[in-house]
Amino acid sequence: MHKHLDKILLSEEQLQSKVRELGARISSDYQDKNLVVLGILKGAVVFLADLIREIKVPLELDFMAVSSYGMSTHASGVVRILKDLERDIVGKDVLIIEDIVDTGLTLSYLKENLRARNPASLKICTLLDKPDRRKVPILPDYKGYNIPDEFVVGYGLDYGERYRNLPYIGVLKPEYYQD
Ligand code: 5GP
């Protein structure tokens, strides 16, 4: 385990088996659809890279980047689009891939923004969810795990751009972040 972590919350094996399960569900739900997998940079890239290899139906890949925590562990509530989609999504079945839903502010803004572009359908797949922290009602259509209100890193999730490359998800020791 990385020495900055208090504990491992989800092991590499747990993550891989959950990704296989989600991939199988998505593959069966999106048969004969126009699936666009929309990754939210940067946190979702590790999850997305594993997940799309478990999706057995044709798909297009696109990405958006929105402003997030930066160096702080508090949500600002302000969402800005830093990078937009490359292709339009009219008539497409868009599946947003997120690393974690916390207050729900990011996804609530994104859903509204994307719905205005007239996709055939718009759903959310998140690896992690902190339902106790919700400020606006967002219900993911596909979810890996509910987790408690602790700041986690690894498997794409960072603190100050570090720890994204850990193959598991762990809880950072308090002395390594300012709350
Ligand atoms: P929301 O808008 O739902 O509050 O925030 C979603 C974003 O906050 C996530 O995409 C992620 O970037 C960040 N976030 C929320 N909780 C955590 C956490 O425990 N660890 C890390 N590394 N990022 C988090």
Side-chain angles (χ1 to χ4, degrees), residues 49-164:
D50 284 346
L51 182 65
I52 57 171
R53 283 175 286 178
E54 298 296 333
I55 299 179
K56 309 301 180 191
V57 296
L59 59 84
E60 283 175 50
L61 199 53
D62 212 335
F63 292 95
M64 284 179 83
V66 295
S67 59
S68 67
Y69 288 5
M71 292 293 286
S72 157
T73 50
H74 283 296
S76 64
V78 179
V79 178
R80 262 188 321 133
I81 293 181
L82 306 176
K83 183 217 173 291
D84 208 341
L85 296 175
E86 284 173 8
R87 313 220 1 210
D88 86 52
I89 53 168
V90 179
K92 299 288 173 78
D93 296 290
V94 177
L95 182 61
I96 303 174
I97 310 294
E98 254 292 24
D99 49 0
I100 184 165
V101 186
D102 185 28
T103 62
L105 289 166
T106 310
L107 276 174
S108 129
Y109 171 84
L110 270 178
K111 274 195 101 171
E112 199 178 315
N113 181 291
L114 293 166
R115 205 168 264 138
R117 308 185 198 193
N118 296 317
S121 67
L122 183 58
K123 291 194 173 176
I124 295 170
C125 173
T126 187
L127 178 64
L128 305 176
D129 192 1
K130 288 181 183 169
D132 298 342
R133 299 247 317 155
R134 208 66 103 245
K135 288 187 181 155
V136 288
I138 281 284
L139 263 185
D141 303 279
Y142 303 92
K143 179 196 295 197
Y145 296 95
N146 279 342
I147 62 165
D149 181 11
E150 288 180 298
F151 193 78
V152 295
V153 295
Y155 200 64
L157 289 143
D158 74 313
Y159 176 65
E161 292 302 328
R162 292 192 67 176
Y163 314 112
R164 292 194 198 275

